[in-house]
Amino acid sequence: MGDLNTTYLGMELESPLVASASPLTQDVGNIRRLEDAGAAAVVMHSLFEEQILIESRELDRFLSQGSESYGEALEYFPDLPSYEIGPEAYLELIRKAREAVSIPVIGSLNGCTPSGWVEYAKQIEQAGAHAIELNVYFLATDPGMSALDVENKYVELLREVKARVSIPVAIKLGPYFSAFANMAHRLDAAGADGLVLFNRFYQPDFDLEYLEVTPNLQLSNSQELRLRLRWAAVLYSHLRAEIAITGGVHEFTDVLKAVMAGANVAMMTSAVLRHGFGHFTRLRREMHDWLEANDYESINQMRGSMSMKSIGDPAAFERANYLKVLSSYSMR
Ligand SMILES: Cc1cc2nc3c(=O)[nH]c(=O)nc-3n(C[C@H](O)[C@H](O)[C@H](O)COP(=O)(O)O)c2cc1C
């Protein structure tokens, strides 16, 4: 039987199948079910500092009986953990998950202030997470902020967190950088242990009747994988950081493609929400069958085999293929 073992963030995993951050990892029973079904690691849903800030403002207003302004209340934020709200339940979940399963438990943090990122990253480490994923979901809507300002923010944030925790740190980011390869190299140099490609930026819709901007979450499909495959294939072998692909991993063939592009793991949420925990079991079986039928002894053997470095025609990942793609469309 083909060997599915891989490594991620310095950990030995039984397969590249990882449950990405989602409500699925919001309770210990589900985390256990994910392990039983064959997930090789789980990423907890994110601890959102934004939410903590809102709660802290409300608590603060309550404590000060309305005498404090919002701005002043926000200044109390660095002392927030002593309030024991929001993050406590999250940290407790990490502790319980560690006791309940033997697969790695990766904490996830979505911060919004420099002190918050660092403070909660430290707490996630103390709660026993094997590693941490920084979920950076930032949209630069301020025209005064340049691309370099944005990139520096990512790098500084990563450096700060790396300096304060000793568990491995992965950073989950979106694809919208003018020079993504350079950005990835900068994060690598700043000490990223993993790059998680890519965050999906959910696009709001308009409600024409109520003239409201409405949130709109749609699950992914395998088409979304292609963007991730391209960048994993471009970056493979150029980074010390390992690559995780999230977004558009649905079928076992998607997992194999992710590994061939150069990823160490392929993460899933939409597919599991659609098909249930047993989806991991099916993919594992199908991967084993495929490896056997195609004479592979292990998936490590195929890692990066379709990367830009390995294929004969690197132009397939570059602009040179643009014309070929356009010409390939048939009107029939
Ligand atoms: C309902 C839902 C909740 C999610 N919550 C989080 C979260 O808390 N933190 C995070 O980093 N990503 C979160 N994600 C994003 C997923 O981890 C994943 O990156 C994304 O759905 C793309 O993967 P997929 O194509 O397998 O769904 C969430 C996704 C969904 C659908």
Side-chain angles (χ1 to χ4, degrees), residues 6 23 28 36 55 82 86 103 109-110 146-147 152 157 195 198 208 225 229 235 248 253 255 260:
T6 185
V28 177
D36 291 346
E55 286 178 40
S82 60
I103 54 175
L109 176 60
N110 182 296
S146 73
N152 288 343
L157 153 69
L195 297 186
F198 285 116
L208 294 183
L225 182 66
L229 291 179
L235 296 173
T253 43
V255 182
M260 287 187 186

Side-chain angles (χ1 to χ4, degrees), residues 20-21 23 46 48 135 172 200 202 217 220 246-248 268-270:
S20 56
S46 299
F48 288 94
N135 169 21
K172 181 176 186 178
R200 288 175 86 212
Y202 300 102
L217 194 157
S220 71
T246 175
M268 267 171 288
T269 285
S270 293

Side-chain angles (χ1 to χ4, degrees), residues 19 29 79 82 87-88 134 150 181 197 206 211 216 327:
D79 296 321
S82 60
E88 253 325 297
L134 304 176
V150 175
L197 313 180
F206 289 175
L211 293 181
N216 185 359
S327 320

Side-chain angles (χ1 to χ4, degrees), residues 59-129:
L59 179 66
D60 197 76
R61 265 193 307 170
F62 172 73
L63 293 174
S64 59
Q65 303 192 327
S67 63
E68 304 279 2
S69 76
Y70 254 37
E72 282 162 330
L74 267 177
E75 285 169 21
Y76 294 165
F77 174 65
D79 296 321
L80 181 66
S82 60
Y83 287 174
E84 294 197 342
I85 53 168
E88 253 325 297
Y90 187 84
L91 301 172
E92 186 55 22
L93 182 62
I94 292 182
R95 283 182 212 112
K96 287 197 174 133
R98 279 298 314 268
E99 281 166 21
V101 295
S102 53
I103 54 175
V105 173
I106 302 172
S108 167
L109 176 60
N110 182 296
C112 57
T113 66
S115 59
W117 279 107
V118 170
E119 188 49 45
Y120 293 112
K122 275 178 11 196
Q123 293 192 28
I124 286 173
E125 174 176 45
Q126 282 157 13

Side-chain angles (χ1 to χ4, degrees), residues 74-290:
L74 267 177
E75 285 169 21
Y76 294 165
F77 174 65
D79 296 321
L80 181 66
S82 60
Y83 287 174
E84 294 197 342
I85 53 168
E88 253 325 297
Y90 187 84
L91 301 172
E92 186 55 22
L93 182 62
I94 292 182
R95 283 182 212 112
K96 287 197 174 133
R98 279 298 314 268
E99 281 166 21
V101 295
S102 53
I103 54 175
V105 173
I106 302 172
S108 167
L109 176 60
N110 182 296
C112 57
T113 66
S115 59
W117 279 107
V118 170
E119 188 49 45
Y120 293 112
K122 275 178 11 196
Q123 293 192 28
I124 286 173
E125 174 176 45
Q126 282 157 13
H130 289 92
I132 185 161
E133 186 176 287
L134 304 176
N135 169 21
V136 189
Y137 195 100
F138 177 70
L139 276 153
T141 52
D142 173 1
M145 195 172 199
S146 73
L148 189 60
D149 294 336
V150 175
E151 292 173 11
N152 288 343
K153 242 172 111 88
Y154 277 74
V155 173
E156 277 160 31
L157 153 69
L158 177 67
R159 275 216 188 96
E160 286 289 316
V161 173
K162 278 292 292 181
R164 305 293 284 279
V165 302
S166 50
I167 51 175
V169 179
I171 183 161
K172 181 176 186 178
L173 65 171
Y176 304 117
F177 292 90
S178 340
F180 185 70
N182 180 263
M183 184 69 224
H185 277 261
R186 289 191 66 197
L187 292 167
D188 191 44
D193 298 287
L195 297 186
V196 185
L197 313 180
F198 285 116
N199 232 331
R200 288 175 86 212
F201 284 113
Y202 300 102
Q203 311 302 343
D205 203 355
F206 289 175
D207 181 320
L208 294 183
E209 194 180 342
Y210 293 100
L211 293 181
E212 279 174 357
V213 179
T214 50
N216 185 359
L217 194 157
Q218 273 167 358
L219 299 181
S220 71
N221 57 46
S222 291
Q223 287 293 325
E224 292 188 29
L225 182 66
R226 293 177 177 204
L227 176 72
R228 280 91 180 157
L229 291 179
R230 162 180 264 159
W231 281 109
V234 169
L235 296 173
Y236 177 71
S237 85
H238 293 290
L239 304 177
R240 194 193 52 85
E242 290 171 332
I243 297 171
I245 285 187
T246 175
V249 179
H250 288 255
E251 299 302 325
F252 81 94
T253 43
D254 297 332
V255 182
L256 296 176
K257 286 177 190 176
V259 176
M260 287 187 186
N264 284 57
V265 292
M267 298 180 166
M268 267 171 288
T269 285
S270 293
V272 188
L273 288 174
R274 255 191 211 120
H275 305 294
F277 299 110
H279 197 61
F280 278 108
T281 317
R282 176 159 78 83
L283 295 196
R284 262 181 81 108
R285 193 181 55 244
E286 289 172 343
M287 284 169 70
H288 276 304
D289 291 349
W290 193 91

